[in-house]
Amino acid sequence: MSEIASSTENLETENPQADLASGGATVDTVTEVPVAIVGAGPAGLMLAHRLHRAGIDTVAIDLRTREEISTTQRAGIIESDAAMDLVELGVSDRILRDGYEHEGVDLRFAGESHRIDFKDLVDASVWLYPQTDVFIDLADARDRDGGKVYYGITDPEVRDIESSAPTVRFTADDGTRHEIRARYVVGSDGSRSMCRHLIPEGERKQYFREYPFAWFGFLTEAPMSAPELVYAHSEHGFALISQRTESLQRMYFQCDPTENVDAWSDERIWETMQARVAGADGFTLKEGPVTEKSVLIFRSFVQQPMRWGNLVLAGDAAHTVPPTGARGLNLALHDVKILAEVLERALGSEGEAALADYEPRALNRVWRAQNFSYWMTQMLHTPPSASPFDIKRQEGELDNVVSTRAGRTYLAEQYTGWPSHG
Ligand code: PHB
């Protein structure tokens, strides 16, 4: 174990000499810390929080500003174990006040809704609590606990990941240059990860699948149309009814990946949504002004390995899923739960060998979630090439899910998450 690894002190040196080891460029500060975290979204900050509780200091950096991360709309469903971790590990208990516990979801097809009752089927629930709020809570916890996070950085460079002294350099938002000397570097820098490209090309394998459709997501100032989420299949395409608060709702409908949001008036949006949920039961959506709209391109992606030398990838940097099963944030939080434990061991008496445990434990859940997200996506969306046969076959598949206890239980188990392995 190196000197740096054994230290939990955050050693910051002001105005050091020009750095000789990495090219001679001058930096304003050099910080020695056991773990450097590239990417300060929910995965990176939850890792920082968990490590802080274990007495391990971190420095986290992100290209995006704090404002950008806290206002970019993302999915809103958290497994109850992850929700309780936020409370029990002292991040914040705001989720208990502002979140909504959901004990089921509706699958809607052929104009009828069918409830999947999580509580009854698998004694589980999920929480509706937007990812932006998870981030806000984690960022506040970092401030409160004195954690170092640089938002809005530029020119990040990660070097020497195959050595026991990797470095991360960057320019802070005030123009100053910094170097972090770490024992381990974590790449939690999201689906456009720079860190994943540091694994040599000949050594990495990328698995991916693209889809011929996207989601048109919008926020609307309207009352709730349903108390729980409604995933709707229709011959016109998929729609999802989600919620935010009593007076603000989040909804999505399947669209072409090249769709231009400006071509969609509120009237056209509501007409499309109403047609996709219409049915003999008379279900209609409560309409209101649309306050935000964007197109979400999605794909399934995994990069292996998730570790190279002393660089470890976590969350979307290593794997992304289509949002249909609400797995993305949950997978990322599961990765860092394992990673915090493994890093703590690696920085203790076990040393680097402990890192070998991370990938197999994380990947087990990653591929199960890839399958579930893919399955939900293909079952509920109408590909542009779908024939009347394809639509009817999907209705048959949905019927198989909702009309047997085994089918409903399968969906409930996957949607609410699996127990952690190992
Ligand atoms: C959301 O509330 O934004 C949301 C919920 C469930 C999903 C995706 C998005 O599967």
Side-chain angles (χ1 to χ4, degrees), residues 74-77 128 215 229 231 240 242-244 250 252 323-326 415:
R74 295 295 197 95
I77 290 289
L128 178 79
W215 276 9
L229 271 62
Y231 288 83
L240 170 61
S242 182
Q243 301 84 10
R244 287 293 177 264
R250 179 78 172 149
Y252 304 88
T324 324
Y415 197 93

Side-chain angles (χ1 to χ4, degrees), residues 172-224:
D173 62 357
D174 62 0
T176 52
R177 284 286 291 166
H178 303 272
E179 178 172 307
I180 311 168
R181 295 182 182 167
R183 179 66 183 84
Y184 299 109
V185 176
V186 174
S188 48
D189 51 345
S191 58
R192 289 191 215 108
S193 173
M194 160 217 32
C195 289
R196 76 160 78 103
H197 301 289
L198 298 171
I199 299 181
E201 207 169 338
E203 308 288 347
R204 63 181 191 233
K205 189 148 175 64
Q206 298 188 330
Y207 301 87
F208 69 94
R209 187 182 206 288
E210 280 173 357
Y211 297 84
F213 38 73
W215 276 9
F216 190 114
F218 63 97
L219 282 172
T220 176
E221 283 167 1
M224 288 188 187

Side-chain angles (χ1 to χ4, degrees), residues 279-325:
D281 61 1
F283 179 60
T284 50
L285 300 170
K286 298 190 173 126
E287 300 184 10
V290 171
T291 56
E292 206 248 32
K293 44 191 177 185
S294 58
V295 171
L296 289 78
I297 303 298
F298 55 87
R299 62 183 189 150
S300 301
F301 171 81
V302 181
Q303 174 169 304
Q304 287 178 228
M306 290 172 73
R307 173 203 166 198
W308 190 257
N310 291 308
L311 169 75
V312 191
L313 303 176
D316 278 10
H319 43 75
T320 50
V321 286
T324 324

Side-chain angles (χ1 to χ4, degrees), residues 31-47:
T31 306
E32 291 187 5
V33 77
V35 180
I37 302 176
V38 180
L45 293 191
M46 188 65 188
L47 178 67

Side-chain angles (χ1 to χ4, degrees), residues 60-247:
I61 61 171
D62 205 294
L63 292 167
R64 298 164 298 172
T65 63
R66 187 165 173 168
E67 171 72 12
E68 253 176 284
I69 312 176
S70 53
T71 54
T72 305
Q73 289 298 319
R74 295 295 197 95
I77 290 289
I78 306 184
E79 291 169 14
S80 61
D81 281 359
M84 289 315 110
D85 279 353
L86 291 176
V87 178
E88 283 158 19
L89 301 181
V91 175
S92 169
D93 60 4
R94 195 161 67 94
I95 190 168
L96 301 176
R97 294 190 302 278
D98 295 349
Y100 296 81
E101 188 177 13
H102 284 186
E103 295 184 352
V105 288
D106 271 6
L107 282 190
R108 189 170 170 82
F109 59 97
E112 269 180 57
S113 286
H114 306 263
R115 182 159 189 265
I116 309 291
D117 186 332
F118 300 153
K119 202 79 192 165
D120 170 51
L121 294 161
V122 293
D123 193 22
S125 61
V126 293
W127 284 77
L128 178 79
Y129 191 64
Q131 182 166 328
T132 42
D133 285 304
V134 175
F135 168 77
I136 290 166
D137 292 347
L138 284 164
D140 289 349
R142 294 287 69 227
D143 287 347
R144 186 192 63 212
D145 297 342
K148 196 104 182 142
V149 186
Y150 291 87
Y151 300 100
I153 62 114
T154 48
D155 310 320
E157 281 173 79
V158 178
R159 294 176 187 232
D160 303 325
I161 55 167
E162 289 177 35
S163 82
S164 58
T167 59
V168 178
R169 290 176 154 219
F170 60 95
T171 304
D173 62 357
D174 62 0
T176 52
R177 284 286 291 166
H178 303 272
E179 178 172 307
I180 311 168
R181 295 182 182 167
R183 179 66 183 84
Y184 299 109
V185 176
V186 174
S188 48
D189 51 345
S191 58
R192 289 191 215 108
S193 173
M194 160 217 32
C195 289
R196 76 160 78 103
H197 301 289
L198 298 171
I199 299 181
E201 207 169 338
E203 308 288 347
R204 63 181 191 233
K205 189 148 175 64
Q206 298 188 330
Y207 301 87
F208 69 94
R209 187 182 206 288
E210 280 173 357
Y211 297 84
F213 38 73
W215 276 9
F216 190 114
F218 63 97
L219 282 172
T220 176
E221 283 167 1
M224 288 188 187
S225 289
E228 293 171 342
L229 271 62
V230 181
Y231 288 83
H233 170 271
S234 85
E235 59 182 321
H236 308 294
F238 169 77
L240 170 61
I241 317 307
S242 182
Q243 301 84 10
R244 287 293 177 264
T245 65
E246 300 301 326
S247 56

